[in-house]
Each structure stands twice: as structure tokens, then as C-alpha cells.
């Protein structure tokens, strides 16, 4: 497992201070809509300056026509980030177009597909996708695997079934982790690190349990020790 810290604080200064407190660890940093829209490319560069070995996951969940997605994917590759994501519902042509475009890059970022947003309840999800979350997430994962993506964003509780339906090496990145059973906040189905390890999660994404802790550095240290 490789830890991915969600940089979800309200300002660039606070996110960078968190990153600075974790600079001795070669971990993943998740940069989402809020931070990227507000702070852009200079923010990515500032993170790399703090620790050039930080890996960056740009969580922008691309969804558009295939050519526009491939154009965006290429710009993301030029930013030098290590991983980004698209919506699986953009479909197989979009997936192949993105992967074809990135194939010219010697060191391309990993590409993951979002299966089902965890904020959906099953009834609303069915209204839109006409299938239950578990069934559709697995179908989206197979589509992503068959069209050359590296993995999916999914719930910890879908990780094992997705790997069984695709491959053990097909990556799963899972939010909703409460490493040692901390407060779930607005997350519906949370998993501890032990459960994530059992379910074969490759990247546990952890936000609040780290940045709301009185000592984020000590918390990360404890998480990394547990993950070993
Ligand atoms: O604070 P917490 O650990 O719940 O943060 C989880 C992170 O993962 C947040 O950045 C959230 O936006 C993100 N995320 C999620 N569920 C998804 C996709 C992303 O919680 N399905």
C-alpha cells in the first residue's frame, strides 16, 4: 500500500504547511478541484519544491468528448504529475483515446477511472445508471481494464471483487479510510487500514484523520508503520 494524503485544507498556505510537515516521507499528495482551480500549476511546483519525491495525484475526474479528454490528459502529463483520473462513464473510446495519446510519453502518469461516486445512494445511482452500485462499479472496472487504464477509484469494499474481475495488478485507490477507526464525518462506508490491507487496496486516500489531527506528522508516521 502507498499512502495518499488529501490536501483539502482551505488555502494554499495551509496545504503547503501540511506538506512541509510531511516532507521527509515520499508519499502521495492528492490535489483536488478546489486546490487546483484556485492555486493551479504553481501549487504543484511548490509541492515538488518541498520534496521532489512527493508523488502527485491530480484528482480532476475528467469527463468530456474523447478528443478533449486526450488534450487535457496531455496537458496533465506535461505538468509532471504522477497520476490523474477520469470518469469511467466517459466510455471505452474516451479511455482508449486518452491512453493512446499518453503512449508517446516516456514516463506517463498513471490513469485511474472513477467507478461510482461514494456520495450516491443506491436508489439515485439506479435512476442514473439503471444498475446497482456494486454491479456497475465492477462493469466500469472491467471496461477500464480492457481499455488500458491502470486502475480505478472505488470503495475499499469493492476492491477485492474488482481485482478478481480484472487482475491483481489492476490498481485500486480508495477514499473513506479511517486508519484506526476515527470519526467517519460525512463518509458512508469507512474502512480501517487493516481492512484496506485485507481487501488489497493499493492506495488508501486519507484526508481529515491526518490534517485534523493535532500532530499530522506523528499520525502519518503511525500510519506508515502500520502499513509496513
Ligand atoms: O477527509 P477524508 O479522508 O474523508 O477525505 C477523502 C478524500 O477523498 C476527499 O478529498 C474526498 O473528496 C475524496 N473522495 C471521496 N470519495 C470519492 C472520491 C474522492 O471521499 N468517491
Amino acid at each position: 500500500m502507498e499512502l495518499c494524503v488529501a490536501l483539502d485544507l482551505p488555502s494554499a498556505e495551509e496545504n503547503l504547511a501540511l506538506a512541509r510537515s510531511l516532507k521527509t516521507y515520499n508519499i502521495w499528495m492528492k490535489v483536488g478541484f478546489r486546490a487546483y482551480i484556485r492555486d493551479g500549476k504553481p501549487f504543484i511546483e511548490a509541492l515538488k519544491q518541498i520534496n521532489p519525491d512527493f508523488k502527485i495525484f491530480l484528482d480532476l475526474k475528467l469527463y468530456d468528448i474523447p478528443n478533449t479528454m486526450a488534450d487535457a490528459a496531455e496537458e496533465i502529463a506535461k505538468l509532471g504529475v504522477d497520476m490523474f483520473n477520469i470518469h469511467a462513464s466517459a466510455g471505452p473510446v474516451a479511455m482508449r483515446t486518452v491512453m493512446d495519446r499518453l503512449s508517446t510519453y516516456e514516463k506517463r502518469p498513471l490513469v485511474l477511472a472513477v467507478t461510482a461516486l461514494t456520495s450516491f445512494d443506491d436508489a439515485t445511482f439506479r435512476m442514473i445508471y439503471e444498475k446497482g452500485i456494486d454491479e456497475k462499479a465492477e462493469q466500469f472496472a472491467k471496461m477500464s481494464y480492457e481499455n488500458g487504464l491502470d486502475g480505478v477509484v472505488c470503495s475499499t469494499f469493492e476492491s477485492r471483487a474488482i481485482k478478481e474481475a480484472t487482475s491483481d495488478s489492476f490498481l485500486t485507490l480508495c477514499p473513506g479510510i479511517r486508519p484506526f477507526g476515527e470519526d467517519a464525518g460525512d463518509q458512508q462506508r469507512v474502512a480501517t487500514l487493516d481492512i484496506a490491507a485485507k481487501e488489497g487496496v493499493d492506495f488508501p486516500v486519507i484526508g481529515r484523520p491526518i490534517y485534523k489531527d493535532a500532530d499530522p506528522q506523528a499520525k502519518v508516521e503511525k500510519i506508515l508503520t502500520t502499513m509496513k
Side-chain angles (χ1 to χ4, degrees), residues 6 8 30 59 61 116-118 153 175-178 187 205-209 211:
D8 287 337
K30 182 173 94 72
D59 181 18
K61 302 181 181 71
L117 294 173
T118 46
V153 182
I177 307 284
R178 293 297 173 262
Q187 296 284 15
V205 177
I206 308 178
R208 285 164 286 184
Y211 66 74

Side-chain angles (χ1 to χ4, degrees), residues 135-166:
E135 190 185 349
K136 195 73 200 177
E138 202 173 305
Q139 188 185 326
F140 274 147
K142 274 191 198 157
M143 186 197 290
S144 309
Y145 177 66
E146 284 159 10
N147 289 286
L149 268 72
D150 302 294
V152 288
V153 182
C154 63
S155 137
T156 298
F157 302 98
E158 289 150 8
S159 174
R160 182 61 62 199
I162 284 173
K163 282 179 181 274
E164 275 162 17
T166 58

Side-chain angles (χ1 to χ4, degrees), residues 1-5 172 174 177 193 196 201-206 227:
M1 281 200 288
E2 294 183 37
L3 172 63
C4 184
V5 177
T172 56
C174 305
I177 307 284
L193 273 181
V201 170
D202 295 287
F203 299 101
V205 177
I206 308 178
M227 275 169 39

